[in-house]
Amino acid sequence: MNLANNYIGSQIGKAKPPKLDLPIATVLDFVDKQIPKFVKSYGTSTNKNEKGLTQKLVRLLSTNLNDHFPFFFDKEAMEDESIGNSPSVDIGVITKESISVKLIHYSKGNQFFAFEAKILGVKESYRQKEYLLGYDSKGKPKNCGGIERFKKGIHGRKLNHAGMIGYIIKDDQKYWFNNINAWIDDLALNQSLIWNSNDKLNFTKSFKTYSKYFSQHSRINNTNSIKIFHFWINLN
């Protein structure tokens, strides 16, 4: 079952499409098929906060996941269960059985994929770039950006693949695609040790209610890059 070819489009820019192992491709394909159902159920809701939307998404994914899939979804999955104040990714994808991804073995009950979710179009101006990186209300850097957390190993430090969910509640896909890539270009000029132009998103495919992108990022204190698959859901 070649899910990878169905997922990665031809308009990928400079990034090379990854060859996906079946467990990763299966997660992406499943989520891909559930997003139209999510939009149909919650797209007209006036309750559009990040945690509420993510909770609804996890419930929908879990409800439609049958016993044949070798994984389940875990909301706010802890990175390190031995530490009470461990960072928690919005959605962890946990194994039901032992699997291998790119020669990395994940035993039963371990996280092998993760999704971080962000609102695209928040009201607070200091949070406008939070899909990429975070600032506090005084404009000081804060490690709360979505892609930033994967790059810094705050989320998914043991993973080579991850996902981002973007809930678009203001403007459109083109606006956010152009702005996020422009922000990365700007960061690359000023913070070259952390960001570079290779961090930019690449367009994959667009539908009426959502669009898909792919990016690949170097990480701090990790020789392996991380591949991120983006689903942007139009909730305007």
Side-chain angles (χ1 to χ4, degrees), residues 135-151:
Y135 298 94
D136 64 18
S137 59
K138 296 181 180 179
K140 295 182 179 180
K142 182 180 179 182
N143 291 326
C144 61
I147 296 176
E148 172 185 41
R149 285 193 163 196
F150 284 119
K151 280 182 68 69

Side-chain angles (χ1 to χ4, degrees), residues 173 203-213:
Q173 290 96 329
F203 173 77
T204 302
K205 201 167 185 178
S206 181
F207 302 92
K208 183 178 180 180
T209 56
Y210 70 105
S211 54
K212 301 188 291 186
Y213 307 85

Side-chain angles (χ1 to χ4, degrees), residues 44-169:
T44 58
S45 172
T46 57
N47 183 5
K48 292 179 178 176
N49 68 83
E50 180 186 305
K51 288 188 176 181
L53 287 168
T54 301
Q55 180 162 287
K56 289 178 171 62
L57 178 59
V58 172
R59 287 176 178 170
L60 183 141
L61 293 173
S62 299
T63 299
N64 291 303
L65 192 70
N66 62 45
D67 292 338
H68 296 292
F69 288 94
F71 56 81
F72 64 91
F73 296 95
D74 187 18
K75 186 176 182 294
E76 296 186 0
M78 297 173 67
E79 292 292 327
D80 186 346
E81 295 177 355
S82 68
I83 303 173
N85 62 350
S86 168
S88 298
V89 72
D90 287 326
I91 306 173
V93 187
I94 313 300
T95 62
K96 290 185 192 175
E97 59 189 49
S98 296
I99 63 169
S100 294
V101 179
K102 296 296 181 188
L103 302 179
I104 300 176
H105 179 75
Y106 298 92
S107 58
K108 180 180 178 180
N110 282 284
Q111 179 177 281
F112 71 98
F113 195 88
F115 287 97
E116 184 73 357
K118 293 293 181 183
I119 294 287
L120 291 169
V122 295
K123 293 180 180 180
E124 301 89 345
S125 59
Y126 69 90
R127 295 183 58 200
Q128 287 298 314
K129 298 181 180 180
E130 204 169 82
Y131 189 91
L132 181 62
L133 76 169
Y135 298 94
D136 64 18
S137 59
K138 296 181 180 179
K140 295 182 179 180
K142 182 180 179 182
N143 291 326
C144 61
I147 296 176
E148 172 185 41
R149 285 193 163 196
F150 284 119
K151 280 182 68 69
K152 292 182 176 180
I154 298 170
H155 291 331
R157 67 178 179 272
K158 297 180 181 179
L159 308 180
N160 292 330
H161 304 80
M164 288 284 299
I165 305 291
Y167 305 114
I168 298 177
I169 64 173

